[in-house]
Amino acid sequence: MARHGRLCAVAALAIVVSSGCGARQNAAGDTSTRLTVTTTEASTPASPSAPSSAPASPASPTTVTGGESSPPAQENRCTAGMLTGLVEPQNASAGNRYAVLVVRNKSQRLCTLWGYGGLDLLDAGKEVLPTQAERTLGPVPTLVRLRPGAAAGKILHWGVVATGDEPTDGPCQPAASSINVIPPDETAPFEVDFEFGPVCDQGRIETSAYFPR
């Protein structure tokens, strides 16, 4: 009876141990299940993010890029009395003309130019002709320092084909023989020869800012 009782006790203990191992295995299985769920949630792809930067929009002809965005301080601006000039023709294309207005410092001291300045077309009698100077060409404004004898330039472009109600059986506009050139930030002009005939489209001339020559 005593031996039988020991055998029963051993069997009971074995059942308890087996049950405990099963419980631990089930617990491990539960943990594995939870990890699997956690991993699945972590691997869910995130929604696409917005691009880091939007594509740049094309620059318009009047956009200022690369030059100084505002006029620098100038102690010695070039005045009309300090400058002389000429117009140098460049390559022409059908209906279009290009030239460079060159201005030179004829004074004995350094002066500066920044920007576009102005101009007016003149006829042979020095009367002002229709003129529309448009600041649409590059390069953009940058400070130009002119020592005595140094030169700067700006590009000019105009058309020679009649537009709108301009006559097509003769000159589109009266022929220009010179131009009044007004330095940037000045009001007094100086005169430069302009021997290229009429400027069509009501005297429309596209210009750049001054640049060093």
Side-chain angles (χ1 to χ4, degrees):
M1 290 294 292
R3 182 180 179 184
H4 178 74
R6 286 195 297 272
L7 289 174
C8 290
V10 170
L13 179 60
I15 291 171
V16 171
V17 172
S18 176
S19 299
C21 291
R24 285 194 294 272
Q25 289 174 354
N26 288 338
D30 293 343
T31 302
S32 174
T33 301
R34 287 196 297 272
L35 288 175
T36 300
V37 172
T38 302
T39 303
T40 301
E41 292 174 353
S43 62
T44 302
S47 59
S49 58
S52 58
S53 59
S57 57
S60 67
T62 56
T63 299
V64 175
T65 55
E68 299 181 47
S69 59
S70 59
Q74 298 182 67
E75 294 182 0
N76 300 305
R77 290 200 304 264
C78 297
T79 63
M82 301 172 70
L83 300 173
T84 185
L86 59 89
V87 179
E88 295 181 350
Q90 304 294 305
N91 294 334
S93 60
N96 293 276
R97 299 292 183 268
Y98 293 89
V100 176
L101 170 61
V102 180
V103 299
R104 190 175 301 277
N105 183 1
K106 66 180 183 179
S107 75
Q108 298 303 309
R109 63 187 181 93
L110 181 146
C111 67
T112 60
L113 295 169
W114 188 95
Y116 298 84
L119 62 86
D120 287 308
L121 298 166
L122 304 176
D123 65 15
K126 309 305 179 186
E127 295 295 326
V128 176
L129 297 172
T131 309
Q132 302 180 66
E134 299 185 358
R135 303 172 177 183
T136 58
L137 302 181
V140 296
T142 187
L143 185 64
V144 181
R145 293 178 173 85
L146 293 183
R147 298 185 180 278
K154 73 173 180 176
I155 301 169
L156 307 179
H157 166 243
W158 66 96
V160 293
V161 177
T163 63
D165 59 357
E166 293 177 333
T168 57
D169 56 352
C172 60
Q173 292 288 330
S177 61
S178 61
I179 54 176
N180 269 344
V181 177
I182 305 169
D185 299 311
E186 297 292 318
T187 56
F190 64 99
E191 189 175 340
V192 175
D193 289 341
F194 185 88
E195 300 174 353
F196 301 93
V199 176
C200 296
D201 196 8
Q202 305 299 318
R204 179 174 177 264
I205 300 181
E206 296 177 316
T207 80
S208 75
Y210 282 99
F211 54 87
R213 289 275 291 181

